[in-house]
Amino acid sequence: MVTAIRVHTPGGPDVLTPEEVEVGQPGPGEVLVRHTAIGVNFIDTYFRSGLYKTALPLTPGNEAAGVVEAVGNDVADIAVGQRVVYMHGPGTYVQKRLVPAEKLIPIPDNIPDEVAAAVLLKGLTAQYLLRRTFKVEAGHTLLIHAAAGGVGLILGQWAKHLHATVIGTAGSAEKVELALKNGYDHVINYAEEDFVARVLDLTHGRKVDVVYDSVGKDTFPASLDVIKPLGLFVTFGQSSGPIPPVDLSILNAKGSLYVTRPSLFAYMNSRDVLLAAAGELFDLIGRGVITVAVNQRFPLTEARAAHEALESRATTGTTVLIP
């Protein structure tokens, strides 16, 4: 028996309950992984609350790092004792778990388990946003909401490495300062300033090429007012709530804009793509281009407190659960 966090009825953080569950031995194509660190992400709250529908009872969580304890008979490229990280969820809020071998990514020797668990989902999100959804190049100007969040801090560092001009928004003076230390050229405190007016001022009215928005309701439709004609609005999260139904003619009125609602799992749709993207991410971390701050650690049994901190926007950087 191992400890898992379970959800029997969708709701707030209080529905996260520690329970003892059985974990079997790996079958064909499976690997038994003992978790050493479990990443906490906003998407976990969507499954817990019922915003994202899934079968119940639910074990939340979409990423974890750990050590391989056993492998199925036909698994050839993963070995017992190997350090691995993976995205496969929900289901990671547990001490041990059976995972499809094809989902596992070897952790480089110079990357700690906590960093790997904290960064994989967020880092691969940054990878596809910057490298594929909109291919950022030198000379581009970006606006990134939630600049001091886990994805936001990685986006800022990576975008600056790509020689873009990076503008962010954050909700406090402390978060503004943190974002400025992580690649951002300018950070707007939206609690004190109108971000639209400030972006127009910073760009001398030329606006930005793309807006990356994980906030949702609170930043829409205002974000459209800072995008250049034919520019792109990328909505990839909704920490303040979902964007309400939209009359698409607004995109015409704002300058023939494009909009996309991408997902990580649609982009990471093959093992080759997954390994290549993870390789790029870990290379940048290993070379110090991207620094990952694990700023919050909670015991697995205190997952409720982790979700409360995340949803109250009391966290910065990344958060992990320790089994």
Side-chain angles (χ1 to χ4, degrees):
M1 302 289 284
V2 299
T3 300
I5 303 300
R6 303 285 273 170
V7 174
H8 292 271
T9 303
D14 58 300
V15 304
L16 296 168
T17 305
E19 296 179 4
E20 295 300 303
V21 300
E22 292 276 2
V23 179
Q25 290 300 304
E30 290 185 325
V31 172
L32 177 63
V33 179
R34 174 178 56 81
H35 291 158
T36 54
I38 300 163
V40 178
N41 299 279
F42 226 97
I43 192 174
D44 303 347
T45 72
Y46 300 160
F47 282 104
R48 184 213 70 221
S49 69
L51 179 64
Y52 286 5
K53 305 301 180 185
T54 191
L56 296 173
L58 160 73
T59 298
N62 288 276
E63 66 179 343
V67 178
V68 173
E69 288 201 337
V71 300
N73 291 334
D74 61 345
V75 175
D77 58 346
I78 300 294
V80 172
Q82 189 170 12
R83 297 167 58 239
V84 293
V85 65
Y86 70 93
M87 299 182 303
H88 182 59
T92 63
Y93 286 18
V94 63
Q95 290 176 317
K96 296 182 183 181
R97 187 187 183 200
L98 295 173
V99 184
E102 65 181 9
K103 301 292 185 182
L104 298 179
I105 301 166
I107 301 176
D109 291 341
N110 60 345
I111 306 293
D113 286 11
E114 282 192 10
V115 170
V119 77
L120 188 65
L121 194 150
K122 301 175 188 69
L124 293 185
T125 297
Q127 194 275 344
Y128 84 74
L129 289 173
L130 296 173
R131 308 291 283 153
R132 298 177 65 191
T133 302
F134 181 92
K135 191 169 178 58
V136 174
E137 298 176 348
H140 285 142
T141 301
L142 288 52
L143 174 64
I144 300 169
H145 290 302
V151 176
L153 294 176
I154 297 169
L155 284 171
Q157 296 174 78
W158 203 328
K160 182 47 56 179
H161 175 66
L162 296 172
H163 305 292
T165 298
V166 194
I167 304 171
T169 67
S172 69
E174 293 77 14
K175 290 185 175 183
V176 167
E177 186 64 27
L178 177 62
L180 287 171
K181 294 177 180 177
N182 283 271
Y184 287 84
D185 297 289
H186 312 280
V187 184
I188 302 160
N189 185 340
Y190 59 76
E192 298 178 352
E193 294 185 273
D194 176 351
F195 79 82
V196 172
R198 185 64 177 136
V199 169
L200 294 177
D201 178 58
L202 290 169
T203 62
H204 306 289
R206 290 190 291 270
K207 303 186 178 181
V208 303
D209 296 282
V210 57
V211 170
Y212 292 110
D213 181 21
S214 63
V215 175
K217 179 173 65 71
D218 287 355
T219 49
F220 188 88
S223 291
L224 303 183
D225 290 329
V226 302
I227 303 175
K228 295 176 181 178
L230 309 184
L232 178 64
F233 175 68
V234 183
T235 169
F236 67 99
Q238 48 194 41
S239 61
S240 69
I243 293 173
V246 177
D247 178 354
L248 292 180
S249 64
I250 192 174
L251 301 175
N252 172 40
K254 299 294 185 180
S256 296
L257 304 181
Y258 294 85
V259 62
T260 184
R261 178 55 171 96
S263 74
L264 173 62
F265 297 102
Y267 274 87
M268 302 297 148
N269 58 0
S270 74
R271 182 157 179 78
D272 288 345
V273 169
L274 175 65
L275 291 177
E280 184 178 12
L281 171 66
F282 287 141
D283 174 66
L284 292 177
I285 294 172
R287 291 195 284 126
V289 174
I290 294 174
T291 300
V292 180
V294 182
N295 289 341
Q296 295 83 212
R297 297 171 179 82
F298 295 86
L300 174 61
T301 54
E302 294 181 15
R304 172 179 176 173
H307 277 222
E308 288 172 342
L310 191 66
E311 291 185 293
S312 66
R313 304 190 191 184
T315 64
T316 59
T318 60
T319 301
V320 295
L321 301 175
I322 305 299

